[in-house]
mmCIF file of all heavy atoms in Angstrom:
data_model
loop_
_atom_site.group_PDB
_atom_site.id
_atom_site.type_symbol
_atom_site.label_atom_id
_atom_site.label_comp_id
_atom_site.label_asym_id
_atom_site.label_seq_id
_atom_site.Cartn_x
_atom_site.Cartn_y
_atom_site.Cartn_z
ATOM 1 N N LYS A 507 -8.183 -8.367 -8.515
ATOM 2 C CA LYS A 507 -7.647 -9.399 -9.399
ATOM 3 C C LYS A 507 -6.654 -8.851 -10.422
ATOM 4 O O LYS A 507 -5.678 -9.494 -10.747
ATOM 5 C CB LYS A 507 -8.790 -10.113 -10.157
ATOM 6 C CG LYS A 507 -9.754 -10.834 -9.249
ATOM 7 C CD LYS A 507 -9.087 -12.002 -8.580
ATOM 8 C CE LYS A 507 -10.074 -12.858 -7.813
ATOM 9 N NZ LYS A 507 -9.447 -14.003 -7.182
ATOM 10 N N LYS A 508 -6.926 -7.656 -10.971
ATOM 11 C CA LYS A 508 -6.067 -7.036 -11.977
ATOM 12 C C LYS A 508 -6.012 -5.536 -11.754
ATOM 13 O O LYS A 508 -6.978 -4.930 -11.307
ATOM 14 C CB LYS A 508 -6.594 -7.279 -13.395
ATOM 15 C CG LYS A 508 -6.518 -8.696 -13.870
ATOM 16 C CD LYS A 508 -7.022 -8.798 -15.292
ATOM 17 C CE LYS A 508 -7.032 -10.246 -15.743
ATOM 18 N NZ LYS A 508 -7.602 -10.382 -17.075
ATOM 19 N N ILE A 509 -4.867 -4.950 -12.119
ATOM 20 C CA ILE A 509 -4.671 -3.507 -12.054
ATOM 21 C C ILE A 509 -4.428 -3.012 -13.474
ATOM 22 O O ILE A 509 -3.665 -3.618 -14.219
ATOM 23 C CB ILE A 509 -3.449 -3.149 -11.186
ATOM 24 C CG1 ILE A 509 -3.595 -3.721 -9.777
ATOM 25 C CG2 ILE A 509 -3.247 -1.637 -11.127
ATOM 26 C CD1 ILE A 509 -2.312 -3.646 -8.972
ATOM 27 N N PHE A 510 -5.062 -1.893 -13.842
ATOM 28 C CA PHE A 510 -4.872 -1.283 -15.153
ATOM 29 C C PHE A 510 -4.197 0.075 -14.975
ATOM 30 O O PHE A 510 -4.680 0.921 -14.239
ATOM 31 C CB PHE A 510 -6.214 -1.085 -15.864
ATOM 32 C CG PHE A 510 -6.930 -2.375 -16.153
ATOM 33 C CD1 PHE A 510 -7.769 -2.937 -15.211
ATOM 34 C CD2 PHE A 510 -6.748 -3.026 -17.357
ATOM 35 C CE1 PHE A 510 -8.429 -4.131 -15.464
ATOM 36 C CE2 PHE A 510 -7.397 -4.223 -17.624
ATOM 37 C CZ PHE A 510 -8.247 -4.776 -16.673
ATOM 38 N N LEU A 511 -3.066 0.270 -15.652
ATOM 39 C CA LEU A 511 -2.347 1.545 -15.572
ATOM 40 C C LEU A 511 -2.635 2.396 -16.804
ATOM 41 O O LEU A 511 -3.479 2.055 -17.624
ATOM 42 C CB LEU A 511 -0.855 1.281 -15.405
ATOM 43 C CG LEU A 511 -0.482 0.514 -14.130
ATOM 44 C CD1 LEU A 511 1.025 0.355 -14.036
ATOM 45 C CD2 LEU A 511 -1.020 1.201 -12.893
ATOM 46 N N ASP A 512 -1.930 3.512 -16.949
ATOM 47 C CA ASP A 512 -2.185 4.493 -18.010
ATOM 48 C C ASP A 512 -2.268 3.904 -19.405
ATOM 49 O O ASP A 512 -3.071 4.339 -20.219
ATOM 50 C CB ASP A 512 -1.107 5.576 -18.018
ATOM 51 C CG ASP A 512 -1.338 6.605 -16.930
ATOM 52 O OD1 ASP A 512 -2.494 6.806 -16.525
ATOM 53 O OD2 ASP A 512 -0.351 7.207 -16.494
ATOM 54 N N ASP A 513 -1.421 2.948 -19.716
ATOM 55 C CA ASP A 513 -1.394 2.406 -21.072
ATOM 56 C C ASP A 513 -2.429 1.317 -21.287
ATOM 57 O O ASP A 513 -2.402 0.621 -22.296
ATOM 58 C CB ASP A 513 0.009 1.890 -21.412
ATOM 59 C CG ASP A 513 0.470 0.779 -20.474
ATOM 60 O OD1 ASP A 513 -0.301 0.390 -19.567
ATOM 61 O OD2 ASP A 513 1.604 0.308 -20.647
ATOM 62 N N ASP A 514 -3.358 1.153 -20.354
ATOM 63 C CA ASP A 514 -4.422 0.145 -20.396
ATOM 64 C C ASP A 514 -3.896 -1.282 -20.357
ATOM 65 O O ASP A 514 -4.616 -2.216 -20.670
ATOM 66 C CB ASP A 514 -5.344 0.340 -21.604
ATOM 67 C CG ASP A 514 -6.230 1.568 -21.449
ATOM 68 O OD1 ASP A 514 -6.550 1.920 -20.300
ATOM 69 O OD2 ASP A 514 -6.601 2.161 -22.469
ATOM 70 N N THR A 515 -2.640 -1.447 -19.973
ATOM 71 C CA THR A 515 -2.099 -2.784 -19.793
ATOM 72 C C THR A 515 -2.624 -3.347 -18.479
ATOM 73 O O THR A 515 -2.614 -2.666 -17.457
ATOM 74 C CB THR A 515 -0.561 -2.756 -19.753
ATOM 75 O OG1 THR A 515 -0.088 -2.196 -20.973
ATOM 76 C CG2 THR A 515 0.008 -4.149 -19.591
ATOM 77 N N ALA A 516 -3.100 -4.596 -18.523
ATOM 78 C CA ALA A 516 -3.607 -5.250 -17.328
ATOM 79 C C ALA A 516 -2.476 -6.010 -16.654
ATOM 80 O O ALA A 516 -1.727 -6.731 -17.305
ATOM 81 C CB ALA A 516 -4.732 -6.208 -17.693
ATOM 82 N N TYR A 517 -2.345 -5.820 -15.354
ATOM 83 C CA TYR A 517 -1.353 -6.522 -14.553
ATOM 84 C C TYR A 517 -2.090 -7.425 -13.577
ATOM 85 O O TYR A 517 -2.817 -6.938 -12.698
ATOM 86 C CB TYR A 517 -0.457 -5.534 -13.803
ATOM 87 C CG TYR A 517 0.374 -4.698 -14.734
ATOM 88 C CD1 TYR A 517 -0.089 -3.479 -15.203
ATOM 89 C CD2 TYR A 517 1.614 -5.146 -15.171
ATOM 90 C CE1 TYR A 517 0.665 -2.709 -16.073
ATOM 91 C CE2 TYR A 517 2.377 -4.381 -16.047
ATOM 92 C CZ TYR A 517 1.894 -3.173 -16.491
ATOM 93 O OH TYR A 517 2.639 -2.419 -17.359
ATOM 94 N N GLU A 518 -1.929 -8.726 -13.746
ATOM 95 C CA GLU A 518 -2.623 -9.684 -12.903
ATOM 96 C C GLU A 518 -1.962 -9.757 -11.531
ATOM 97 O O GLU A 518 -0.738 -9.812 -11.409
ATOM 98 C CB GLU A 518 -2.606 -11.061 -13.548
ATOM 99 C CG GLU A 518 -3.417 -12.075 -12.787
ATOM 100 C CD GLU A 518 -3.493 -13.409 -13.502
ATOM 101 O OE1 GLU A 518 -3.261 -13.439 -14.729
ATOM 102 O OE2 GLU A 518 -3.774 -14.400 -12.830
ATOM 103 N N ILE A 519 -2.790 -9.754 -10.503
ATOM 104 C CA ILE A 519 -2.309 -9.915 -9.137
ATOM 105 C C ILE A 519 -2.191 -11.409 -8.878
ATOM 106 O O ILE A 519 -3.181 -12.130 -8.898
ATOM 107 C CB ILE A 519 -3.263 -9.241 -8.134
ATOM 108 C CG1 ILE A 519 -3.299 -7.731 -8.392
ATOM 109 C CG2 ILE A 519 -2.863 -9.556 -6.698
ATOM 110 C CD1 ILE A 519 -4.375 -6.994 -7.651
ATOM 111 N N GLN A 520 -0.965 -11.872 -8.656
ATOM 112 C CA GLN A 520 -0.751 -13.299 -8.443
ATOM 113 C C GLN A 520 -1.053 -13.738 -7.019
ATOM 114 O O GLN A 520 -1.497 -14.855 -6.793
ATOM 115 C CB GLN A 520 0.702 -13.692 -8.776
ATOM 116 C CG GLN A 520 0.990 -13.724 -10.244
ATOM 117 C CD GLN A 520 1.941 -12.622 -10.671
ATOM 118 O OE1 GLN A 520 2.557 -11.964 -9.854
ATOM 119 N NE2 GLN A 520 2.045 -12.423 -11.961
ATOM 120 N N LYS A 521 -0.791 -12.843 -6.060
ATOM 121 C CA LYS A 521 -0.961 -13.235 -4.663
ATOM 122 C C LYS A 521 -1.236 -12.002 -3.819
ATOM 123 O O LYS A 521 -0.677 -10.943 -4.060
ATOM 124 C CB LYS A 521 0.321 -13.931 -4.185
ATOM 125 C CG LYS A 521 0.288 -14.415 -2.761
ATOM 126 C CD LYS A 521 1.436 -15.333 -2.377
ATOM 127 C CE LYS A 521 2.802 -14.832 -2.693
ATOM 128 N NZ LYS A 521 3.886 -15.619 -2.091
ATOM 129 N N ILE A 522 -2.098 -12.157 -2.821
ATOM 130 C CA ILE A 522 -2.354 -11.129 -1.812
ATOM 131 C C ILE A 522 -1.891 -11.716 -0.490
ATOM 132 O O ILE A 522 -2.358 -12.782 -0.081
ATOM 133 C CB ILE A 522 -3.846 -10.755 -1.736
ATOM 134 C CG1 ILE A 522 -4.332 -10.217 -3.082
ATOM 135 C CG2 ILE A 522 -4.088 -9.741 -0.618
ATOM 136 C CD1 ILE A 522 -5.832 -10.045 -3.168
ATOM 137 N N THR A 523 -0.957 -11.046 0.179
ATOM 138 C CA THR A 523 -0.427 -11.591 1.422
ATOM 139 C C THR A 523 -0.962 -10.906 2.669
ATOM 140 O O THR A 523 -0.864 -11.455 3.759
ATOM 141 C CB THR A 523 1.117 -11.531 1.439
ATOM 142 O OG1 THR A 523 1.530 -10.177 1.276
ATOM 143 C CG2 THR A 523 1.705 -12.399 0.334
ATOM 144 N N GLU A 524 -1.526 -9.697 2.512
ATOM 145 C CA GLU A 524 -2.042 -8.991 3.688
ATOM 146 C C GLU A 524 -3.051 -7.941 3.248
ATOM 147 O O GLU A 524 -2.891 -7.300 2.215
ATOM 148 C CB GLU A 524 -0.888 -8.311 4.436
ATOM 149 C CG GLU A 524 -1.311 -7.620 5.707
ATOM 150 C CD GLU A 524 -0.135 -7.006 6.448
ATOM 151 O OE1 GLU A 524 0.691 -6.321 5.819
ATOM 152 O OE2 GLU A 524 -0.065 -7.204 7.666
ATOM 153 N N VAL A 525 -4.081 -7.796 4.057
ATOM 154 C CA VAL A 525 -5.065 -6.720 3.879
ATOM 155 C C VAL A 525 -5.275 -6.107 5.246
ATOM 156 O O VAL A 525 -5.603 -6.803 6.209
ATOM 157 C CB VAL A 525 -6.413 -7.253 3.338
ATOM 158 C CG1 VAL A 525 -7.404 -6.109 3.189
ATOM 159 C CG2 VAL A 525 -6.230 -8.000 2.032
ATOM 160 N N LYS A 526 -5.033 -4.795 5.347
ATOM 161 C CA LYS A 526 -5.253 -4.121 6.627
ATOM 162 C C LYS A 526 -5.524 -2.647 6.390
ATOM 163 O O LYS A 526 -5.163 -2.092 5.361
ATOM 164 C CB LYS A 526 -4.065 -4.301 7.565
ATOM 165 C CG LYS A 526 -2.799 -3.565 7.150
ATOM 166 C CD LYS A 526 -1.715 -3.783 8.196
ATOM 167 C CE LYS A 526 -0.483 -2.971 7.894
ATOM 168 N NZ LYS A 526 0.531 -3.126 8.944
ATOM 169 N N ARG A 527 -6.169 -2.045 7.355
ATOM 170 C CA ARG A 527 -6.405 -0.601 7.295
ATOM 171 C C ARG A 527 -5.076 0.079 7.588
ATOM 172 O O ARG A 527 -4.413 -0.226 8.581
ATOM 173 C CB ARG A 527 -7.452 -0.201 8.317
ATOM 174 C CG ARG A 527 -7.781 1.261 8.242
ATOM 175 C CD ARG A 527 -9.194 1.527 8.700
ATOM 176 N NE ARG A 527 -9.466 2.932 8.584
ATOM 177 C CZ ARG A 527 -9.811 3.548 7.456
ATOM 178 N NH1 ARG A 527 -9.949 2.852 6.362
ATOM 179 N NH2 ARG A 527 -10.031 4.840 7.422
ATOM 180 N N ALA A 528 -4.674 0.976 6.684
ATOM 181 C CA ALA A 528 -3.376 1.624 6.837
ATOM 182 C C ALA A 528 -3.366 2.948 6.090
ATOM 183 O O ALA A 528 -4.196 3.195 5.220
ATOM 184 C CB ALA A 528 -2.261 0.720 6.309
ATOM 185 N N ALA A 529 -2.389 3.759 6.428
ATOM 186 C CA ALA A 529 -2.180 5.036 5.747
ATOM 187 C C ALA A 529 -1.030 4.902 4.772
ATOM 188 O O ALA A 529 -0.064 4.200 5.029
ATOM 189 C CB ALA A 529 -1.870 6.129 6.761
ATOM 190 N N SER A 530 -1.159 5.589 3.659
ATOM 191 C CA SER A 530 -0.047 5.708 2.728
ATOM 192 C C SER A 530 0.722 6.963 3.102
ATOM 193 O O SER A 530 0.188 8.068 3.009
ATOM 194 C CB SER A 530 -0.549 5.817 1.287
ATOM 195 O OG SER A 530 0.494 6.262 0.451
ATOM 196 N N LEU A 531 1.948 6.808 3.532
ATOM 197 C CA LEU A 531 2.744 7.970 3.910
ATOM 198 C C LEU A 531 3.153 8.790 2.699
ATOM 199 O O LEU A 531 3.398 9.987 2.801
ATOM 200 C CB LEU A 531 3.977 7.521 4.698
ATOM 201 C CG LEU A 531 3.659 6.761 5.992
ATOM 202 C CD1 LEU A 531 4.942 6.322 6.679
ATOM 203 C CD2 LEU A 531 2.801 7.588 6.918
ATOM 204 N N ILE A 532 3.224 8.149 1.544
ATOM 205 C CA ILE A 532 3.576 8.864 0.310
ATOM 206 C C ILE A 532 2.380 9.640 -0.231
ATOM 207 O O ILE A 532 2.488 10.802 -0.600
ATOM 208 C CB ILE A 532 4.104 7.876 -0.748
ATOM 209 C CG1 ILE A 532 5.415 7.244 -0.277
ATOM 210 C CG2 ILE A 532 4.301 8.568 -2.103
ATOM 211 C CD1 ILE A 532 5.912 6.106 -1.137
ATOM 212 N N ALA A 533 1.210 8.994 -0.273
ATOM 213 C CA ALA A 533 0.022 9.622 -0.862
ATOM 214 C C ALA A 533 -0.750 10.476 0.133
ATOM 215 O O ALA A 533 -1.571 11.293 -0.267
ATOM 216 C CB ALA A 533 -0.897 8.546 -1.445
ATOM 217 N N GLY A 534 -0.520 10.265 1.415
ATOM 218 C CA GLY A 534 -1.242 11.042 2.417
ATOM 219 C C GLY A 534 -2.715 10.707 2.494
ATOM 220 O O GLY A 534 -3.555 11.580 2.631
ATOM 221 N N ALA A 535 -3.048 9.427 2.373
ATOM 222 C CA ALA A 535 -4.441 8.991 2.404
ATOM 223 C C ALA A 535 -4.531 7.675 3.160
ATOM 224 O O ALA A 535 -3.537 6.982 3.353
ATOM 225 C CB ALA A 535 -4.957 8.822 0.980
ATOM 226 N N THR A 536 -5.751 7.329 3.580
ATOM 227 C CA THR A 536 -5.964 6.081 4.292
ATOM 228 C C THR A 536 -6.972 5.213 3.561
ATOM 229 O O THR A 536 -7.706 5.679 2.700
ATOM 230 C CB THR A 536 -6.472 6.331 5.724
ATOM 231 O OG1 THR A 536 -7.703 7.040 5.637
ATOM 232 C CG2 THR A 536 -5.473 7.101 6.541
ATOM 233 N N GLY A 537 -6.993 3.961 3.943
ATOM 234 C CA GLY A 537 -7.935 3.009 3.379
ATOM 235 C C GLY A 537 -7.462 1.601 3.658
ATOM 236 O O GLY A 537 -6.633 1.376 4.545
ATOM 237 N N LEU A 538 -7.984 0.652 2.911
ATOM 238 C CA LEU A 538 -7.510 -0.716 3.013
ATOM 239 C C LEU A 538 -6.263 -0.864 2.160
ATOM 240 O O LEU A 538 -6.286 -0.568 0.970
ATOM 241 C CB LEU A 538 -8.573 -1.707 2.530
ATOM 242 C CG LEU A 538 -9.775 -1.894 3.431
ATOM 243 C CD1 LEU A 538 -10.750 -2.876 2.784
ATOM 244 C CD2 LEU A 538 -9.360 -2.398 4.802
ATOM 245 N N ARG A 539 -5.179 -1.315 2.778
ATOM 246 C CA ARG A 539 -3.936 -1.517 2.034
ATOM 247 C C ARG A 539 -3.787 -3.007 1.754
ATOM 248 O O ARG A 539 -3.789 -3.828 2.655
ATOM 249 C CB ARG A 539 -2.726 -1.030 2.812
ATOM 250 C CG ARG A 539 -1.434 -1.157 1.987
ATOM 251 C CD ARG A 539 -0.225 -0.755 2.765
ATOM 252 N NE ARG A 539 0.122 -1.841 3.693
ATOM 253 C CZ ARG A 539 1.111 -1.762 4.575
ATOM 254 N NH1 ARG A 539 1.825 -0.663 4.684
ATOM 255 N NH2 ARG A 539 1.365 -2.777 5.365
ATOM 256 N N TYR A 540 -3.665 -3.328 0.478
ATOM 257 C CA TYR A 540 -3.452 -4.696 0.035
ATOM 258 C C TYR A 540 -1.978 -4.855 -0.315
ATOM 259 O O TYR A 540 -1.456 -4.105 -1.144
ATOM 260 C CB TYR A 540 -4.287 -4.993 -1.207
ATOM 261 C CG TYR A 540 -5.776 -5.039 -0.965
ATOM 262 C CD1 TYR A 540 -6.516 -3.877 -0.788
ATOM 263 C CD2 TYR A 540 -6.447 -6.250 -0.924
ATOM 264 C CE1 TYR A 540 -7.881 -3.920 -0.578
ATOM 265 C CE2 TYR A 540 -7.815 -6.307 -0.716
ATOM 266 C CZ TYR A 540 -8.530 -5.140 -0.535
ATOM 267 O OH TYR A 540 -9.882 -5.184 -0.325
ATOM 268 N N THR A 541 -1.325 -5.816 0.320
ATOM 269 C CA THR A 541 0.036 -6.177 -0.062
ATOM 270 C C THR A 541 -0.105 -7.250 -1.131
ATOM 271 O O THR A 541 -0.663 -8.315 -0.872
ATOM 272 C CB THR A 541 0.832 -6.715 1.133
ATOM 273 O OG1 THR A 541 0.813 -5.725 2.172
ATOM 274 C CG2 THR A 541 2.274 -7.009 0.739
ATOM 275 N N VAL A 542 0.348 -6.937 -2.338
ATOM 276 C CA VAL A 542 0.132 -7.819 -3.482
ATOM 277 C C VAL A 542 1.447 -8.141 -4.180
ATOM 278 O O VAL A 542 2.445 -7.433 -4.008
ATOM 279 C CB VAL A 542 -0.851 -7.189 -4.503
ATOM 280 C CG1 VAL A 542 -2.198 -6.919 -3.876
ATOM 281 C CG2 VAL A 542 -0.283 -5.912 -5.105
ATOM 282 N N TYR A 543 1.420 -9.197 -4.957
ATOM 283 C CA TYR A 543 2.552 -9.552 -5.815
ATOM 284 C C TYR A 543 2.080 -9.516 -7.257
ATOM 285 O O TYR A 543 1.084 -10.156 -7.613
ATOM 286 C CB TYR A 543 3.108 -10.933 -5.459
ATOM 287 C CG TYR A 543 3.944 -10.882 -4.211
ATOM 288 C CD1 TYR A 543 3.358 -10.900 -2.954
ATOM 289 C CD2 TYR A 543 5.332 -10.764 -4.294
ATOM 290 C CE1 TYR A 543 4.130 -10.828 -1.808
ATOM 291 C CE2 TYR A 543 6.110 -10.690 -3.147
ATOM 292 C CZ TYR A 543 5.502 -10.720 -1.910
ATOM 293 O OH TYR A 543 6.266 -10.633 -0.780
ATOM 294 N N VAL A 544 2.788 -8.733 -8.071
ATOM 295 C CA VAL A 544 2.519 -8.591 -9.493
ATOM 296 C C VAL A 544 3.822 -8.859 -10.230
ATOM 297 O O VAL A 544 4.842 -8.215 -9.933
ATOM 298 C CB VAL A 544 1.996 -7.175 -9.824
ATOM 299 C CG1 VAL A 544 1.811 -7.000 -11.321
ATOM 300 C CG2 VAL A 544 0.704 -6.887 -9.085
ATOM 301 N N ASP A 545 3.809 -9.794 -11.141
ATOM 302 C CA ASP A 545 5.024 -10.199 -11.868
ATOM 303 C C ASP A 545 6.166 -10.535 -10.913
ATOM 304 O O ASP A 545 7.331 -10.230 -11.175
ATOM 305 C CB ASP A 545 5.461 -9.115 -12.859
ATOM 306 C CG ASP A 545 4.486 -8.939 -14.001
ATOM 307 O OD1 ASP A 545 3.756 -9.907 -14.316
ATOM 308 O OD2 ASP A 545 4.444 -7.851 -14.588
ATOM 309 N N GLY A 546 5.840 -11.110 -9.769
ATOM 310 C CA GLY A 546 6.848 -11.525 -8.806
ATOM 311 C C GLY A 546 7.344 -10.433 -7.875
ATOM 312 O O GLY A 546 8.185 -10.688 -7.021
ATOM 313 N N PHE A 547 6.850 -9.204 -8.028
ATOM 314 C CA PHE A 547 7.302 -8.083 -7.202
ATOM 315 C C PHE A 547 6.226 -7.676 -6.198
ATOM 316 O O PHE A 547 5.049 -7.579 -6.538
ATOM 317 C CB PHE A 547 7.662 -6.871 -8.074
ATOM 318 C CG PHE A 547 8.846 -7.104 -8.949
ATOM 319 C CD1 PHE A 547 8.686 -7.483 -10.271
ATOM 320 C CD2 PHE A 547 10.132 -6.953 -8.446
ATOM 321 C CE1 PHE A 547 9.779 -7.711 -11.087
ATOM 322 C CE2 PHE A 547 11.236 -7.181 -9.251
ATOM 323 C CZ PHE A 547 11.060 -7.564 -10.574
ATOM 324 N N LYS A 548 6.660 -7.397 -4.976
ATOM 325 C CA LYS A 548 5.757 -6.939 -3.923
ATOM 326 C C LYS A 548 5.389 -5.483 -4.148
ATOM 327 O O LYS A 548 6.243 -4.662 -4.491
ATOM 328 C CB LYS A 548 6.451 -7.096 -2.574
ATOM 329 C CG LYS A 548 5.647 -6.639 -1.391
ATOM 330 C CD LYS A 548 6.461 -6.842 -0.128
ATOM 331 C CE LYS A 548 5.808 -6.208 1.065
ATOM 332 N NZ LYS A 548 6.611 -6.416 2.282
ATOM 333 N N SER A 549 4.112 -5.168 -3.961
ATOM 334 C CA SER A 549 3.641 -3.811 -4.113
ATOM 335 C C SER A 549 2.426 -3.603 -3.216
ATOM 336 O O SER A 549 1.934 -4.553 -2.597
ATOM 337 C CB SER A 549 3.268 -3.553 -5.577
ATOM 338 O OG SER A 549 2.984 -2.187 -5.771
ATOM 339 N N TYR A 550 1.967 -2.376 -3.131
ATOM 340 C CA TYR A 550 0.761 -2.054 -2.370
ATOM 341 C C TYR A 550 -0.251 -1.396 -3.287
ATOM 342 O O TYR A 550 0.095 -0.564 -4.123
ATOM 343 C CB TYR A 550 1.066 -1.071 -1.233
ATOM 344 C CG TYR A 550 2.070 -1.564 -0.230
ATOM 345 C CD1 TYR A 550 3.314 -0.946 -0.124
ATOM 346 C CD2 TYR A 550 1.781 -2.628 0.616
ATOM 347 C CE1 TYR A 550 4.243 -1.381 0.806
ATOM 348 C CE2 TYR A 550 2.711 -3.069 1.541
ATOM 349 C CZ TYR A 550 3.934 -2.451 1.631
ATOM 350 O OH TYR A 550 4.852 -2.885 2.544
ATOM 351 N N ILE A 551 -1.511 -1.775 -3.114
ATOM 352 C CA ILE A 551 -2.608 -1.009 -3.699
ATOM 353 C C ILE A 551 -3.571 -0.697 -2.558
ATOM 354 O O ILE A 551 -3.648 -1.438 -1.576
ATOM 355 C CB ILE A 551 -3.321 -1.726 -4.865
ATOM 356 C CG1 ILE A 551 -3.945 -3.040 -4.428
ATOM 357 C CG2 ILE A 551 -2.387 -1.934 -6.024
ATOM 358 C CD1 ILE A 551 -4.833 -3.650 -5.493
ATOM 359 N N PHE A 552 -4.256 0.409 -2.687
ATOM 360 C CA PHE A 552 -5.141 0.882 -1.637
ATOM 361 C C PHE A 552 -6.558 1.021 -2.167
ATOM 362 O O PHE A 552 -6.767 1.485 -3.293
ATOM 363 C CB PHE A 552 -4.691 2.262 -1.143
ATOM 364 C CG PHE A 552 -3.383 2.261 -0.413
ATOM 365 C CD1 PHE A 552 -2.179 2.265 -1.109
ATOM 366 C CD2 PHE A 552 -3.351 2.254 0.966
ATOM 367 C CE1 PHE A 552 -0.966 2.279 -0.438
ATOM 368 C CE2 PHE A 552 -2.140 2.269 1.648
ATOM 369 C CZ PHE A 552 -0.947 2.280 0.945
#
């Protein structure tokens, strides 16, 4: 529902468009990848 970053600011997830098992090529890890929209921008959280 919400993501908290270093400054303890909460970012509300407005929409989830996809959930699937996937690898992060940048982080080199696997898990459930959520395609989310925060402040109108598409992003991934794992």
Side-chain angles (χ1 to χ4, degrees):
K507 298 293 188 179
K508 292 182 184 176
I509 303 168
F510 297 87
L511 299 182
D512 281 333
D513 60 1
D514 289 331
T515 301
Y517 295 91
E518 185 175 340
I519 297 169
Q520 286 112 12
K521 181 169 51 169
I522 300 170
T523 58
E524 183 178 47
V525 179
K526 69 178 185 177
R527 183 152 181 81
S530 165
L531 300 178
I532 295 171
T536 60
L538 288 178
R539 184 183 77 184
Y540 291 76
T541 304
V542 300
Y543 283 81
V544 176
D545 293 335
F547 294 97
K548 179 180 171 180
S549 188
Y550 300 113
I551 61 171
F552 292 82

